[in-house]
Amino acid sequence: MMPTLGCFEDQHCESNMKAQLSLKIREIRPDEFDLIWPIFHAVISTGDTYTYSPSLSIDEARKIWTAPPARAFLAELERAVVGTYTLRPNQSGLGDHVANAGYMVAPAARGQGIARKLCEHSIETARHAGFTAMQFNFVVSSNEGAIRLWQRCGFSIVGRVPGAFRHSKHGPTDVLIMHRFL
């Protein structure tokens, strides 16, 4: 069954329907990371959602996003790469039954339901891979749009770490731990 995007808040149904009809998500190999590097770099350079240094090199980013046991995926809309996610065990050994994922959408492609589609795809991929739950360890509390989306995708806030993120504009900012069973 293909997940649907729906229309949320102030987004336009027409653009969501277009994205729903033509968005393609596929797994990539490490040597294809160059395809998602512009998105990765744009997202981390703002210093407002990921802990990665804004000066992270492409080789370091490739290793983080694609090195086994991680699996990386990209989303294409009309042949343009508009998003990516990585999926991996949250922990090794006795914690490897819980998945962890990270998502990035190109700034110009936001508001079209792509992040939701990536999340839904990752949940199905994780379930198919044998994971029994998914956990996000470090959701920056000021990233309110993402928090609402993850909650709509079935995640609950299970913890808060005060001041754990050095936000580029807000300074020390709380991070949330979010979880859902698969």
Side-chain angles (χ1 to χ4, degrees):
M1 181 172 99
M2 179 68 81
T4 59
L5 290 172
C7 297
F8 305 105
E9 298 167 328
D10 61 348
Q11 298 172 355
H12 302 290
C13 288
E14 188 175 314
S15 65
N16 278 346
M17 290 304 293
K18 181 179 177 184
Q20 181 179 350
L21 296 174
S22 59
L23 189 71
K24 295 182 175 103
I25 301 173
R26 69 173 180 88
E27 190 164 5
I28 64 166
R29 300 178 314 272
D31 65 342
E32 293 180 285
F33 184 79
D34 295 9
L35 297 171
I36 60 173
W37 171 245
I39 295 169
F40 194 102
H41 187 261
V43 169
I44 69 167
S45 69
T46 60
D48 60 358
T49 56
Y50 276 87
T51 61
Y52 308 134
S53 169
S55 62
L56 190 73
S57 74
I58 187 172
D59 291 329
E60 292 169 313
R62 179 189 336 270
K63 191 181 299 181
I64 289 167
W65 212 248
T66 66
R71 297 170 61 191
F73 297 79
L74 65 73
E76 294 175 303
L77 183 61
E78 297 180 5
R79 298 184 189 168
V81 178
V82 294
T84 181
Y85 79 86
T86 186
L87 179 70
R88 63 179 41 115
N90 191 45
Q91 299 292 327
S92 61
L94 299 178
D96 67 1
H97 61 291
V98 177
N100 174 260
Y103 310 87
M104 296 183 179
V105 175
R110 293 182 184 155
Q112 299 182 57
I114 294 166
R116 180 179 185 97
K117 198 79 159 154
L118 289 169
C119 185
E120 290 172 345
H121 189 275
S122 72
I123 288 168
E124 287 305 312
T125 302
R127 189 177 288 131
H128 187 264
F131 291 105
T132 60
M134 187 177 286
Q135 179 174 314
F136 302 152
N137 301 319
F138 212 91
V139 181
V140 179
S141 63
S142 60
N143 193 355
E144 294 171 354
I147 294 165
R148 283 190 304 271
L149 175 58
W150 306 151
Q151 288 173 323
R152 284 194 302 262
C153 290
F155 288 84
S156 297
I157 297 169
V158 296
R160 176 180 290 265
V161 184
F165 180 67
R166 292 189 312 265
H167 194 286
S168 62
K169 293 179 184 157
H170 306 302
T173 303
D174 293 358
V175 298
L176 306 176
I177 302 163
M178 300 184 77
H179 177 274
R180 71 159 280 167
F181 289 104
L182 301 178

